[in-house]
């Protein structure tokens, strides 16, 4: 009888425990008999998983949730929801327990506020977006680029119909057009095309609107594959839409300036028309969105002939704010690659499932990283907390990773560090290490050492050296690109593509502010629907009411908050000195956020919440409305709240600057034979800093390591 030597399991060293890395591990361990093929160990700095998405419960402050910033899931995050639905189902939490199912953990939300500054005054544009019966994660593909052209024109038709209905009510009747507008005069070549395609203009009143309807008819009559279209058909669509759009602007006239409702109708109509024409004219329908990434989106809009009103409109600015799309954090330097902008903007607004947003019903750590950790641990994945990556060493021939240098930050008393705590029946990540499990715990707590900071004065308790062939065979690098500059110097020096990526794929510092207030939102003076808001005053330009999290926190019955507000925005690079290796400078950054928050709150919060102003002195803020167990006075009450300067390399947000997409590396093209990459900084088909990009990148890395075939929804534009 023949005997066979057992197949050696590949040892995979996963560096970093953010969303991309965990997704890759999730996908690998989804494969049949994965334990016969792999041995997977995740090495994580500090005490928790999550990277930029990590959250913690402050056990010294009523187990309140503390985040890196505002985190929401979009209804278009198809792969993220697919994974989380699988995760919750496999965990099989008991019915009736907190966050037992994915639909307990994530709830649809559809109200978006887009502030507009008109005549030096802020006006709130509240959008109660439609919901649908779809569920994110069902595996429904996104439309092609041509599909979005059709959707945009259908949306434009509905917008125009709604505008005319509103005008009828506004004017009692739509004024008649002049003679030149009434006559159905199309160029001969369009008349010929219309006849050849068997199309009739059925609209009976305005000739300009007949142009819009004819454009819609042509689009609907064409095959889904634009390769089968004729050039003249595309030329006709562009001509018809552009001529209609010019007429529509003239038709609305001064109403665009003087009336909020009709200004907004115009902005949405022109934006739809410009994008639809641009996708055809720039051949994006054939080439994909990346072909536009040499332009900033606003620059591209201007190139397409958009008005300044639309270029600087609230929907555009709000999306820049959502992605912190300001070079070096300077709000005077907006920069967002046009293709990346359009891909995400169209998916977010036109392809959401259920609702445009899904709000997590606890901290991001509780809803996403706890279930992922529990499931992966259950499957047999090993986790090594308190291990920071210091250096990657190349082989002699510079073709592969030969060694990984790690610093062990603390000594676990038992065999395994158990990172989670129970908060009202829900397992959560604490906002600080569980010191009682660490040999050095007392010293770490006394000295208030931040083990997630590269600028900590704390020295490693041990240096570890992992060797290829012994401790690992494959390396999955899931650490943020801003941290690679220090630990990947050999990679950068050995490969020009790495050097180019490091020079061109940039990150930005951000700031976050969380407030717990005594009054509810109505009592604060907000009379509209509870929003998610973007596009407000910098730097805290984005706000979401997160009061639904109060039941998850552990507040006393008396004197508990009635409202929680999350704010975030970009932090300018030159606000203070930028040497993040010095603890003193990190402290300066944190103090700068506090100073900025005080000034911003005093100047801009009363616009949102009129009752936040002091009744006796309307120029001052009523700081007593902040919950403070120590009952401090004035601005000192802010010290009871939570703010954060996200300046650490692993905290910085990845930008999508114009001209940078081509420098991103793919997960399976690191240039080194046993190194795979994952993160929202890779070339992942989305190329914007968001959780869906990290998930897609993680799936791509797992597919490359595992060598299996899998189609990933949304990784291409076709």
């Amino acid at each position: 009888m023949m005997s066979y030597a057992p197949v050696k399991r590949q040892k995979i060293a996963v560096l970093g425990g953010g969303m991309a890395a965990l997704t890759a591990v999730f996908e690998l361990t989804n494969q049949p008999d994965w334990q016969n093929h792999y041995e997977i160990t995740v090495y994580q700095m500090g005490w928790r998983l999550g990277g930029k998405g990590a959250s913690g419960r402050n056990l010294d402050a009523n187990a309140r949730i503390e985040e890196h910033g505002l985190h929401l899931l979009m209804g278009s995050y198809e792969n993220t929801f697919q994974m989380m639905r699988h995760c919750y189902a496999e965990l099989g939490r008991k019915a009736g327990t907190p966050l037992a199912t994915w639909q307990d953990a994530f709830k649809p939300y559809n109200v978006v506020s887009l502030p507009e500054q008109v005549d030096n005054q802020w006006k709130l544009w509240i959008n109660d977006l439609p919901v649908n019966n779809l569920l994110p994660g069902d595996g429904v593909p996104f439309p092609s680029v041509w599909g979005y052209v059709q959707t945009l024109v259908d949306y434009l038709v509905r917008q125009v119909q709604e505008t005319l209905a509103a005008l009828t009510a506004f004017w009692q009747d739509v004024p008649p057009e002049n003679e030149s507008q009434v006559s159905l005069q199309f160029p001969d070549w369009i008349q010929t095309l219309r006849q050849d395609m068997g199309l009739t203009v059925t609209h009976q009143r305005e000739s300009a609107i007949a142009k819009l309807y004819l454009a819609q008819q042509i689009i609907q009559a064409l095959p889904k594959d634009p390769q089968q279209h004729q050039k003249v058909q595309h030329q006709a669509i562009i001509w018809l839409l552009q001529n209609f759009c010019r007429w529509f602007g003239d038709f609305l006239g001064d109403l665009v300036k003087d009336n909020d409702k009709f200004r907004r109708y115009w902005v949405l109509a022109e934006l739809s028309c410009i994008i639809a024409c641009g996708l055809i004219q720039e051949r994006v329908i054939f080439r994909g969105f990346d072909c536009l990434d040499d332009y900033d989106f606003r620059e591209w809009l201007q190139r397409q002939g958009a008005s300044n009103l639309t270029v600087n409109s609230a929907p555009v600015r709000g999306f820049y704010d959502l992605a912190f799309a300001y070079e070096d954090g300077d709000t005077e330097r907006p920069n967002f690659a046009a293709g990346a902008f359009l891909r995400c903007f169209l998916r977010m607004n036109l392809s959401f499932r259920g609702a445009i947003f899904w709000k997590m019903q606890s901290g991001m750590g509780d809803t996403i990283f706890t279930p992922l950790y529990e499931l992966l641990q259950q499957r047999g994945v090993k986790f090594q907390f308190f291990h920071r990556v210091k250096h990657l060493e190349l082989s002699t021939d510079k073709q592969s990773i030969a060694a990984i240098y790690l610093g062990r930050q603390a000594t676990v008393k038992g065999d395994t560090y158990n990172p989670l705590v129970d908060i009202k029946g829900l397992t959560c990540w604490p906002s600080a290490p569980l010191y009682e499990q660490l040999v050095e715990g007392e010293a770490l707590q006394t000295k208030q050492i931040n083990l997630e900071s590269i600028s900590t004065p704390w020295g490693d308790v041990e240096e570890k050296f992992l060797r290829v062939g012994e401790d690992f065979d494959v390396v999955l690098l899931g650490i943020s690109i801003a941290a690679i500059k220090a630990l990947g110097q050999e990679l950068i020096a050995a490969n020009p593509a790495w050097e180019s990526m490091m020079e061109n794929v940039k990150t930005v510092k951000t700031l976050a502010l969380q407030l717990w207030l005594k009054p509810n939102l109505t009592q604060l003076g907000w009379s509209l629907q509870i929003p998610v808001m973007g596009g407000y005053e910098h730097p805290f330009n984005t706000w979401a009411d997160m009061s639904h999290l109060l039941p998850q926190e552990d507040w006393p019955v008396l004197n508990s908050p009635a409202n929680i507000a999350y704010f975030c925005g970009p932090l300018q690079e030159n606000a203070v000195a930028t040497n993040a290796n010095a603890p003193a400078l990190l402290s300066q950054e944190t103090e700068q956020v506090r100073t900025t928050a005080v000034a911003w709150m005093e100047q801009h919060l009363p616009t949102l919440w009129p009752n936040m102003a002091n009744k006796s002195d309307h120029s001052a803020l009523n700081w007593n409305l902040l919950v403070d167990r120590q009952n401090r006075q004035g601005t000192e009450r802010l010290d009871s709240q939570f703010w954060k300067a996200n300046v650490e390399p692993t905290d910085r947000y990845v930008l999508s600057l114009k001209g940078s997409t081509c420098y991103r590396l793919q997960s399976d093209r690191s240039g080194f034979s046993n190194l795979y990459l994952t993160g929202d900084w890779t070339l992942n088909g989305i190329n914007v800093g968001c959780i869906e990009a990290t998930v897609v990148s993680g799936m791509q890395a797992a597919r490359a390591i595992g060598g299996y075939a899998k189609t990933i929804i949304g990784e291409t534009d076709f």
Side-chain angles (χ1 to χ4, degrees), residues 581-629:
N581 292 314
L585 292 177
L586 177 59
S587 177
Q588 287 180 36
E589 294 271 20
T590 304
E591 185 57 31
Q592 179 66 34
V593 172
R594 185 193 185 283
T595 302
T596 301
V598 169
W600 185 90
M601 289 171 66
E602 289 182 332
Q603 187 172 357
H604 302 299
L605 262 188
T607 300
L608 300 177
W609 308 334
N611 296 341
M612 192 76 183
N614 197 316
K615 291 182 180 179
S616 60
D617 180 3
H618 290 286
S619 64
L621 207 65
N622 186 356
W623 293 97
N624 287 330
L625 298 184
L626 297 177
V627 172
D628 182 5
R629 293 186 303 177

Side-chain angles (χ1 to χ4, degrees), residues 390-395 398-401 477 479-506 649 663 665 669-672 675 677 681:
K390 299 174 71 175
H391 180 62
L392 299 180
E393 183 179 282
L394 292 180
S395 58
K398 309 295 185 186
Q399 297 300 306
S400 62
I401 305 297
L477 181 58
I479 298 173
S480 178
I481 189 172
I484 292 173
K485 186 175 182 179
L487 64 90
Q489 291 177 351
E490 287 194 37
L491 311 181
I492 299 166
N495 191 319
W498 277 82
E499 184 177 13
S500 295
M501 179 175 68
M502 298 305 297
E503 289 178 358
N504 291 281
V505 180
K506 301 294 186 180
Y663 295 103
L665 295 177
R669 296 188 182 179
S670 72
F672 305 100
L675 176 65
L677 313 175
W681 48 273

Side-chain angles (χ1 to χ4, degrees), residues 174-185 205-208 247 250-251:
V174 179
E177 298 179 274
N178 62 43
E179 186 64 28
S180 63
Q181 290 172 321
V182 172
S183 60
L184 273 172
Q185 296 273 331
R205 190 156 59 180
E206 295 88 6
S207 62
W247 169 83
D250 292 340
F251 180 66

